Amino acid sequence: MKSEIEKMVAGEPYDAHCEEMLEIRTRVKRILHKLNVTEYYTENFKAVTQELCPNSAKDLHLEPPFYCDYGENIHAAEGVFINFGAVILDGSTVTIGKKTLIAPGVHIYTNRHPVEVKERREWEDCAPVTIGEECWIGGHSTICPGVTIGDRAVIGAGSVVVKDIPADSLAVGNPAKVVKKLNQ
């Protein structure tokens, strides 16, 4: 029988409010406190970043404050910069390609909730998010569950990305739409 965390990572319905999940998120919140409050200006900051996001490149830069649910489901490649106020709900894998820049206040969600209240009381599930290499995600954008953003794409500030965005595209708006091809 799968644990709730195993179900979550597999994209299956799971109970986010069970004791197992609450314990994991509490442990992560303690690490986030170190990252956001006590260690930012110390030589321990990189070690705390690696503790929080062990599956990311060692040069991942998280500008505090930063928030996430689990950390270990964030897979950021070399040269990724995540500016302050970012939120990553990483119930499923969030893959961020090398040299991608994420502006202040960006939210990335993998968690999905049923729209029917009876179902919403009992379960949620997750879908992975993939952001390609050398992308620029503009300030206060929201990336929704299951979205893939292609390499070198730019997401305009304040955009809500609900569908895949091809490589070398500028996408803006709510919902985000491709308005221009880039790097031609």
Side-chain angles (χ1 to χ4, degrees), residues 73-76 88-90 92-96 108 110 128-129 131:
N73 296 327
I74 300 169
H75 297 256
I88 300 179
L89 301 186
D90 61 319
S92 187
T93 303
V94 174
T95 303
I96 305 170
I108 301 171
T110 66
V129 168
I131 301 171

Side-chain angles (χ1 to χ4, degrees), residues 6 18 49 182:
E6 290 169 330
C18 72
T49 301
L182 304 172

Side-chain angles (χ1 to χ4, degrees), residues 129-141:
V129 168
T130 301
I131 301 171
E133 297 181 356
E134 298 186 281
C135 292
W136 168 246
I137 311 299
H140 292 276
S141 293

Side-chain angles (χ1 to χ4, degrees), residues 27-44:
R27 180 184 57 78
V28 170
K29 297 306 179 254
R30 287 188 180 108
I31 299 169
L32 284 167
H33 181 76
K34 288 193 296 187
L35 182 93
N36 291 328
V37 178
T38 64
E39 300 300 328
Y40 181 62
Y41 294 107
T42 74
E43 65 280 351
N44 298 327

Side-chain angles (χ1 to χ4, degrees), residues 46-79:
K46 283 292 183 192
V48 174
T49 301
Q50 276 302 129
E51 180 183 7
L52 180 65
C53 300
N55 296 311
S56 291
K58 299 215 182 309
D59 70 343
L60 169 62
H61 184 86
L62 300 174
E63 190 68 24
F66 172 76
Y67 305 97
C68 65
D69 278 339
Y70 303 99
E72 66 185 23
N73 296 327
I74 300 169
H75 297 256
E78 296 80 22

